[in-house]
Amino acid sequence: MQSSEPLNGAAPPAADLPPSALPITASDRQAAEASQPGDALASDINNMQVDNSSDNGEDVVMKDKLLPKVKQVSKCVYCESNSAESLKTVPCLGCGSRCHIDCIKSAAGFRDKILVGDDFFHFKCEKCTGGAERFRRYHLSWVDVVHITLFNLTHSPQARASRLRGSDAAGQFSSSEHGPQEYGDSRVYFHYKADVAQFIDQHWGYFWTKPRGETWVNSASSALSTNSTENVPEDGRFESGKAKYNKNGMWALTDDLRFPSSYDSAQQQKTRTVMYSFAEDGSLVELRAQAGNGRRKRRTDPAPKTPTPGVRGTKKSRNDPGTPTGSALAYATSAGGGAKRGARGKRDKQSEWAISMWPDIDNMPGPVHMSREETHAAAQFVIESDRLTVWNDKGYRMAKASHGVEQGAWYFEAQVLAPVRPEFNLRIGWSQISGDLQANCGYDVFSYSYRAKPCTRFHAAIGSPYGEDYGPGDTIGMLIYLPELDSDELLDLADRKWRPSERYRQFTYTRPESQRPMYADGIPPLPVLAGSELVYFKNGKCLGPAFQKLYLGKYHPAISSYMGGKVRVNFGPDFAFPPPATWTDGTPIRPVSDLEVAAPKPPADAPEDAAAASGAAPAKSASEPAPELDVKP
């Protein structure tokens, strides 16, 4: 084992060392590795209250203030025993006492899941809060995650065993080298891919709720090399086996007695962000945006004045389709191609955390159908006369249904038909109005999809295996569950809607810089709906959740076709393979056809020509076909 001796060779007295750097005896280490409980809990610990809310009673994302300048005490405030030699302790931000994880009431349901050496928690004990603990998770950077991983691989045989039991059917973490290895300096070395990356992959949900990017293994490798003793001679965290022993990809902790948090500078402590609370089973629950001054803003610039139609000098750009024209039933923009630019989510240069979006449009009167409007379908997409059969002749494009949903459980089917070309493919799912029409469903953060072959789920252009291949003759069912929204979420969605008094154009959706987590590159400032999910069915067989924790938004059924892939959509109420009657919390599953909006009827004594003059379609008898609401010339 390496000592905590500084590089200048002068060993500090034990009293000056942080508690996480004090020596650990072999017997104590064995006890910690065996996950034995710590000292006896205080007699009244089971009667303590747990406070999982902020000072104003709401769960919010917040920047933590600089840690209080209190001396950390190596004594648990609950069991009053020495905690300096334990690998599972957390310091109280109020009194500085390092408390055993086993003694913290708010972690009682998941204390066994907390990894050794991990004390990145916003914690205040019952004495400092007056009886209600506070226990939340800080945001973790890549260097934090890599360090916690190496700490566990070094100190815990269980961590090594879990790595060996892990599944790696795709060979993503295969390597000719793996740990633990010792080369003569008393350090224990592990391979960055076979050991470190595989451990992170197995514990991804413990560290974050963000999705895996395509290059996340490279991010872990970069954190190792950037914080090595070669690049940070004075206080490097990691020792390279390549540099010392010509062992490619092998890494060890420079000082395996130091907790990862002990490397934090005062500035790093100051910028730590409280990002998550905990569910009863220990899973992370992302905190909502802070209210008050932290409310997200729809636009960063004043709304433009609406130009007078027909006045010379009025110019429409591709990014500014203009004011919708025509009757009250026409929800299309007046300039071609306007709905496809900007839907890729360009960043606003005036804000460091922003995304460009298109306003949501109220569900139009009439039955649900695949819409031909330029806000809903790419111009190249073929939507046949029944408004249910759709396909595209060449590369991926997307078309969306005329109606969308914001909360509840909703279901529709897509019957795969004989393709126009043999090299066809399909991606079927749900998309917000901002989903890029000139790309496949699942290309951006606004849409989610399930590909036919090979069977893959896609979101934000990241795919992973899911379900089974499907093709002609198969029927794919799509269930989306969006839990009941609170008042703040409803207000958010209401603010995104298009106002007929304004031109239909993009707006910039932002959240304050204080709410921007350090990992937010590529992550949009959209709230996440806890409990939401998207589930697929193939010929009546449930394939399980494809996506969970969807972004807040209004979602439309969406079809993407490649090289002649063809489907006929069935919005219900009669399905080839009916879904279950209810879903989460007994929520009834409704057919998308229930979204049909009745067209407004003119007064009984109003003449027919008056209704026509107002821009409304004349009333039709029940025997007549439904009006075509969005026919393009």
Side-chain angles (χ1 to χ4, degrees):
M1 292 297 175
Q2 299 303 300
S3 69
S4 298
E5 189 174 351
L7 292 178
N8 60 14
D16 295 335
L17 288 174
S20 58
L22 292 176
I24 302 173
T25 66
S27 59
D28 290 327
R29 177 162 296 156
Q30 290 171 0
E33 291 173 349
S35 300
Q36 295 295 326
D39 298 293
L41 303 181
S43 58
D44 60 341
I45 191 168
N46 291 322
N47 299 321
M48 290 177 356
Q49 293 178 298
V50 179
D51 175 20
N52 229 3
S53 63
S54 62
D55 292 334
N56 61 6
E58 297 184 5
D59 286 343
V60 296
V61 177
M62 62 181 178
K63 288 283 187 180
D64 193 27
K65 298 180 180 179
L66 186 62
L67 294 179
K69 292 184 178 180
V70 295
K71 182 179 178 181
Q72 290 194 9
V73 181
S74 300
K75 184 178 181 179
C76 178
V77 73
Y78 296 118
C79 64
E80 299 185 351
S81 63
N82 192 323
S83 60
E85 298 177 348
S86 173
L87 295 177
K88 295 181 72 171
T89 62
V90 178
C92 172
L93 297 177
C95 62
S97 296
R98 290 196 71 92
C99 299
H100 297 108
I101 291 292
D102 289 338
C103 295
I104 297 175
K105 174 65 176 179
S106 47
F110 50 91
R111 57 171 64 113
D112 291 340
K113 297 181 180 180
I114 295 178
L115 299 176
V116 296
D118 180 9
D119 61 355
F120 291 105
F121 301 100
H122 181 94
F123 169 65
K124 286 188 177 180
C125 69
E126 60 158 341
K127 293 185 178 179
C128 293
T129 60
E133 287 180 344
R134 181 168 299 168
F135 190 79
R136 296 186 186 165
R137 160 67 85 188
Y138 285 127
H139 160 68
L140 299 178
S141 66
W142 268 110
V143 67
D144 298 329
V145 170
V146 170
H147 199 150
I148 292 171
T149 297
L150 272 176
F151 195 94
N152 278 265
L153 291 172
T154 301
H155 290 284
S156 174
Q158 288 88 345
R160 303 176 195 174
S162 66
R163 179 195 63 78
L164 295 174
R165 291 192 301 267
S167 174
D168 186 24
Q172 182 182 6
F173 309 112
S174 61
S175 172
S176 58
E177 296 281 351
H178 63 82
Q181 300 288 341
E182 295 188 24
Y183 301 122
D185 61 359
S186 299
R187 294 187 176 94
V188 184
Y189 286 79
F190 298 89
H191 193 270
Y192 84 95
K193 184 186 292 186
D195 300 304
V196 175
Q198 187 167 1
F199 184 93
I200 294 172
D201 184 67
Q202 293 171 356
H203 295 81
W204 190 274
Y206 173 86
F207 297 122
W208 292 307
T209 60
K210 66 177 181 178
R212 295 167 176 81
E214 294 182 354
T215 60
W216 72 266
V217 175
N218 293 339
S219 299
S221 176
S222 177
L224 285 164
S225 59
T226 303
N227 294 273
S228 67
T229 53
E230 292 180 278
N231 290 315
V232 189
E234 292 81 10
D235 203 23
R237 300 176 182 227
F238 310 121
E239 197 72 42
S240 168
K242 169 67 174 176
K244 294 190 70 173
Y245 302 105
N246 198 29
K247 297 293 183 179
N248 286 326
M250 302 300 289
W251 291 88
L253 293 175
T254 303
D255 185 347
D256 63 10
L257 298 182
R258 289 184 63 178
F259 273 30
S261 63
S262 68
Y263 285 86
D264 273 5
S265 65
Q267 180 61 28
Q268 288 172 319
Q269 293 173 354
K270 185 176 181 180
T271 56
R272 284 279 174 194
T273 306
V274 180
M275 285 298 297
Y276 305 103
S277 61
F278 292 92
E280 291 183 359
D281 63 354
S283 58
L284 299 176
V285 178
E286 190 168 354
L287 299 180
R288 294 187 300 159
Q290 189 171 357
N293 294 333
R295 184 177 298 280
R296 45 198 166 267
K297 296 185 291 185
R298 181 181 179 188
R299 292 183 173 90
T300 54
D301 301 316
K305 295 182 179 179
T306 303
T308 304
V311 177
R312 295 188 64 182
T314 299
K315 183 178 180 181
K316 297 173 183 176
S317 69
R318 289 174 63 87
N319 269 344
D320 185 4
T323 304
T325 59
S327 72
L329 301 180
Y331 281 71
T333 58
S334 60
K340 60 193 179 186
R341 286 200 55 176
R344 294 177 184 267
K346 295 181 179 178
R347 291 280 182 90
D348 177 14
K349 295 181 180 179
Q350 301 302 318
S351 174
E352 292 189 33
W353 201 25
I355 192 169
S356 294
M357 300 178 66
W358 289 92
D360 287 324
I361 299 173
D362 285 333
N363 292 339
M364 59 183 66
V368 184
H369 57 280
M370 295 303 294
S371 176
R372 292 176 178 169
E373 299 297 347
E374 296 170 26
T375 51
H376 290 65
Q380 304 92 327
F381 218 92
V382 178
I383 300 178
E384 296 187 359
S385 58
D386 63 359
R387 302 298 176 86
L388 299 174
T389 305
V390 297
W391 55 280
N392 183 55
D393 187 49
K394 295 184 179 179
Y396 270 120
R397 299 291 187 274
M398 181 163 61
K400 306 167 191 171
S402 54
H403 295 56
V405 300
E406 297 176 347
Q407 55 185 335
W410 299 89
Y411 183 84
F412 76 99
E413 286 181 343
Q415 180 186 3
V416 183
L417 305 178
V420 177
R421 298 186 180 188
E423 64 270 30
F424 83 99
N425 217 329
L426 292 162
R427 299 191 189 186
I428 303 175
W430 297 80
S431 174
Q432 297 187 35
I433 199 70
S434 296
D436 193 346
L437 300 175
Q438 296 296 323
N440 49 65
C441 187
Y443 168 79
D444 50 36
V445 300
F446 301 109
S447 59
Y448 303 81
S449 71
Y450 169 29
R451 184 173 65 184
K453 53 179 184 178
C455 51
T456 313
R457 56 188 172 188
F458 281 95
H459 172 63
I462 297 174
S464 60
Y466 170 79
E468 305 170 356
D469 287 3
Y470 61 90
D474 290 325
T475 298
I476 303 301
M478 282 133 293
L479 167 68
I480 191 170
Y481 172 70
L482 304 170
E484 184 177 356
L485 305 180
D486 60 29
S487 58
D488 188 60
E489 291 162 342
L490 289 170
L491 181 61
D492 187 323
L493 290 184
D495 195 41
R496 300 187 200 180
K497 288 185 178 179
W498 173 60
R499 302 178 180 94
S501 60
E502 298 178 356
R503 297 174 65 85
Y504 188 79
R505 61 185 297 163
Q506 284 182 295
F507 64 90
T508 301
Y509 185 99
T510 66
R511 277 162 72 175
E513 174 63 20
S514 62
Q515 296 175 8
R516 178 184 173 88
M518 288 180 284
Y519 67 75
D521 267 350
I523 303 298
L526 301 172
V528 173
L529 283 179
S532 60
E533 61 181 350
L534 202 163
V535 180
Y536 288 90
F537 297 76
K538 179 184 176 183
N539 301 327
K541 173 186 175 182
C542 181
L543 302 179
F547 305 97
Q548 295 178 315
K549 297 182 179 180
L550 310 182
Y551 290 121
L552 173 69
K554 181 178 182 178
Y555 286 91
H556 300 250
I559 307 293
S560 284
S561 168
Y562 173 82
M563 293 297 178
K566 191 173 186 178
V567 304
R568 181 182 294 116
V569 181
N570 178 8
F571 295 117
D574 299 319
F575 294 111
F577 299 95
T582 61
W583 204 246
T584 304
D585 295 331
T587 303
I589 297 178
R590 302 175 61 188
V592 172
S593 59
D594 280 0
L595 295 170
E596 179 175 349
V597 178
K601 295 181 179 180
D605 57 348
E608 185 174 306
D609 58 348
S614 68
K620 295 184 179 290
S621 67
S623 62
E624 291 180 312
E628 295 188 354
L629 305 179
D630 54 1
V631 176
K632 294 166 64 176

